Amino acid sequence: MPEQLDAVSDAERLAALAELNLLDSPREAPFDRLAELAAAILSTPVALVSLVDRDRQFFVSCPGLPEPWQTRRETPLSHSFCQHAVRTGEPIVISDARREPEFADNRAIEDLNVIAYAGIPLTTSTGYVLGSFCVIDHEPREWDTREIEILRSLAASVVTEIELRGALLREQAARRNAETATAAAEQATEQLQVVDRRKTQFLATLAHELRNPLSAISSGVALVDMAEGAELREVQTLMKSQVDQMTRLVDDLMDVARITEGKIQLSKKRVDVWQVVEDSAATARPMVEEANHQLAVDCPQSMLHVDADHQRLVQVFGNLLANACRYTPRGGQIEIRARAGDEGVEVVVADNGIGIPAAKLPKIFDMFAQVDGGGGRRGGLGIGLTLVQRIVELHGGRVVAVSDGENQGSQFCVYLPSAE
Ligand code: ADP
């Protein structure tokens, strides 16, 4: 009968059943006690706390049930009387199943030796019938009203036990959630503190970085009045280089702010990577020469193309080359090379300088990250690599830092998607 089938396979009922976490659960003493009590009081060989799932019945408790069912703790619905309690929502009381047309062909008669059966639906306070609490006899027998009443009270205790257990599980889950939330909040606070400390350190470095060129410019201004001719030009050159330095710092700061707020606009077009590499090398050359480094450039012309903002990519590789110069002792080897790779175009900036300790590698692209803890020892603010990473990501690429450790040099590999 279709409406009867619906009661067993009703999605809400099945969801309520699954939520209890009782299906396939290990045996629990309170249910065994109630089932054993029923079997003892009603003098039956078998008692069951049976949950009727979509296509099986699972026995939360099944004292006296023959093997192999005792161990399996479940049968298909072809062997289930209890499903009828779910369908009708009413007690099922049978003296001799072999004589009941509705039950005569139930396989439980032969396989589980169910002859007499009395089952009370396990109905939750929210109205879902989960299964049945039943006693079984292997002989025909009449059930009197008192026996059915006893079974009913014990079934009510089973439902109470199920609901208490559910409430306990919910409370434990809520407690675990609260604990997880507290731990997450603590972790977030800790992270904020780290960022805050880094920011404070950054401000100190920034002040230091701006103070140096500013002092040089102030001295220059004082000298301008007195100097003339070649000396004046020298003062002007010095002041210009200091102003350039400050402008670069301020530009980087503004870029970081703009990129962080998503306000940066890329003007993308098809770009020859060779041109980017050449222009980046050109911006780095003064630093390279000043430190007496060797710069090797290896990039094929008109072979590798990316869809990119040329200026921004020059900024990326210019930054990486500037770092390579800065973090390599005088007379070092610096290289920029590009080739086609699995992910599109690979551009590597490598040096044989001070290297990066393994522990610092994962955080090297974080804002304000500085391996030696800042202080401007080598003249950086700890935002260059953040900018590099953000710009590369805006181009749909990624950047990876590699180093074998202190004094083993560093490599920064940038992967960019190729242009069509
Ligand atoms: P900074 O302004 O300090 O150079 P970056 O974000 O560019 O800031 O770099 C962050 C830190 O990464 C640097 O302070 C430095 O410790 C380390 N680093 C960057 N590039 C290199 C490199 N080529 N070799 C060794 N360390 C590097």
Side-chain angles (χ1 to χ4, degrees):
M1 279 173 267
E3 78 270 17
Q4 287 184 342
L5 271 179
D6 280 345
V8 168
S9 54
D10 175 67
E12 279 184 24
R13 187 193 78 84
L14 289 169
L17 182 62
E19 214 169 79
L20 294 170
N21 268 334
L22 261 175
L23 290 169
D24 302 310
S25 62
R27 285 220 150 81
E28 286 176 37
F31 297 115
D32 279 345
R33 266 199 298 273
L34 287 166
E36 278 159 14
L37 197 59
I41 298 176
L42 302 178
S43 307
T44 58
V46 180
L48 301 175
V49 176
S50 165
L51 299 180
V52 176
D53 202 358
R54 187 187 299 275
D55 48 14
R56 60 168 180 162
Q57 57 181 351
F58 173 76
F59 304 130
V60 174
S61 179
C62 50
L65 196 68
E67 289 292 2
W69 316 104
Q70 177 67 236
T71 305
R72 286 192 199 156
R73 295 180 65 206
E74 65 173 29
T75 75
L77 289 186
S78 53
H79 293 64
S80 169
F81 280 37
C82 296
Q83 63 182 309
H84 294 277
V86 173
R87 293 201 168 123
T88 60
E90 296 294 331
I92 307 284
V93 181
I94 301 166
S95 306
D96 186 342
R98 293 165 300 188
R99 293 173 193 281
E100 300 280 340
E102 207 179 329
F103 293 90
D105 58 355
N106 194 300
R107 304 214 12 222
I109 297 177
E110 198 170 318
D111 291 350
L112 281 75
N113 198 12
V114 178
I115 304 296
Y117 173 98
I120 308 290
L122 293 169
T123 309
T124 64
S125 49
T126 42
Y128 294 114
V129 187
L130 305 172
S132 136
F133 181 61
C134 68
V135 282
I136 289 167
D137 211 327
H138 303 320
E139 308 286 334
R141 85 181 250 179
E142 296 301 323
W143 305 94
D144 65 34
T145 329
R146 195 186 130 268
E147 286 173 324
I148 300 303
E149 272 321 301
I150 291 171
L151 201 57
R152 217 189 267 277
S153 327
L154 290 173
S157 299
V158 171
V159 171
T160 307
E161 191 59 45
I162 288 176
E163 294 195 322
L164 280 177
R165 189 183 167 283
L168 192 68
L169 283 181
R170 278 195 297 280
E171 203 221 278
Q172 282 168 347
R175 196 165 331 131
R176 270 199 303 278
N177 283 346
E179 280 166 9
T180 315
T182 311
E186 278 168 6
Q187 203 184 354
T189 311
E190 237 167 69
Q191 272 165 2
L192 278 178
Q193 283 165 346
V194 170
V195 172
D196 192 48
R197 269 198 300 279
R198 280 217 208 121
K199 247 184 191 164
T200 310
Q201 207 172 53
F202 165 76
L203 283 177
T205 313
L206 177 61
H208 183 85
E209 288 297 310
L210 291 175
R211 193 80 187 78
N212 281 349
L214 215 50
S215 309
I217 293 166
S218 325
S219 325
V221 170
L223 281 174
V224 164
D225 286 341
M226 298 180 268
E228 26 178 78
E231 207 187 350
L232 180 59
R233 272 194 299 283
E234 204 180 300
V235 172
Q236 279 171 333
T237 311
L238 175 88
M239 285 170 69
K240 182 171 180 316
S241 99
Q242 298 301 324
V243 168
D244 286 351
Q245 159 87 349
M246 285 179 74
T247 309
R248 266 198 306 277
L249 281 178
V250 173
D251 281 352
D252 271 5
L253 280 173
M254 288 172 65
D255 268 354
V256 165
R258 274 200 295 259
I259 292 182
T260 307
E261 288 164 23
K263 282 190 188 149
I264 205 157
Q265 289 290 335
L266 294 183
S267 76
K268 282 195 191 174
K269 54 185 190 318
R270 190 180 158 85
V271 170
D272 186 347
V273 175
W274 171 80
Q275 193 61 57
V276 172
V277 168
E278 284 295 312
D279 293 352
S280 310
T283 64
R285 241 165 223 126
M287 273 184 97
V288 170
E289 278 158 20
E290 203 191 299
N292 208 21
H293 294 316
Q294 299 285 327
L295 173 63
V297 179
D298 178 9
C299 177
Q301 193 172 354
S302 313
M303 296 274 287
L304 308 169
H305 292 92
V306 287
D307 191 20
D309 185 320
H310 179 268
Q311 273 318 317
R312 289 291 176 189
L313 284 192
V314 170
Q315 188 182 358
V316 164
F317 298 112
N319 243 320
L320 291 176
L321 285 168
N323 275 352
C325 288
R326 223 184 284 154
Y327 300 107
T328 300
R330 287 184 68 76
Q333 307 285 333
I334 292 168
E335 186 185 2
I336 177 163
R337 56 177 190 268
R339 63 178 191 118
D342 294 343
E343 288 178 48
V345 175
E346 282 177 30
V347 186
V348 176
V349 175
D351 63 58
N352 63 346
I354 64 167
I356 303 163
K360 303 283 180 177
L361 275 174
K363 297 220 169 271
I364 201 88
F365 294 100
D366 288 4
M367 183 99 76
F368 317 134
Q370 287 190 319
V371 170
D372 58 11
R377 189 165 65 82
R378 285 168 195 267
L381 285 176
I383 52 176
L385 287 182
T386 309
L387 264 180
V388 164
Q389 188 183 47
R390 303 262 164 97
I391 295 174
V392 168
E393 285 173 358
L394 282 175
H395 283 87
R398 64 188 184 99
V399 53
V400 178
V402 183
S403 172
D404 287 336
E406 232 165 290
N407 299 321
Q408 302 300 312
S410 310
Q411 292 194 13
F412 288 82
C413 312
V414 175
Y415 302 91
L416 293 166
S418 300
E420 293 298 306

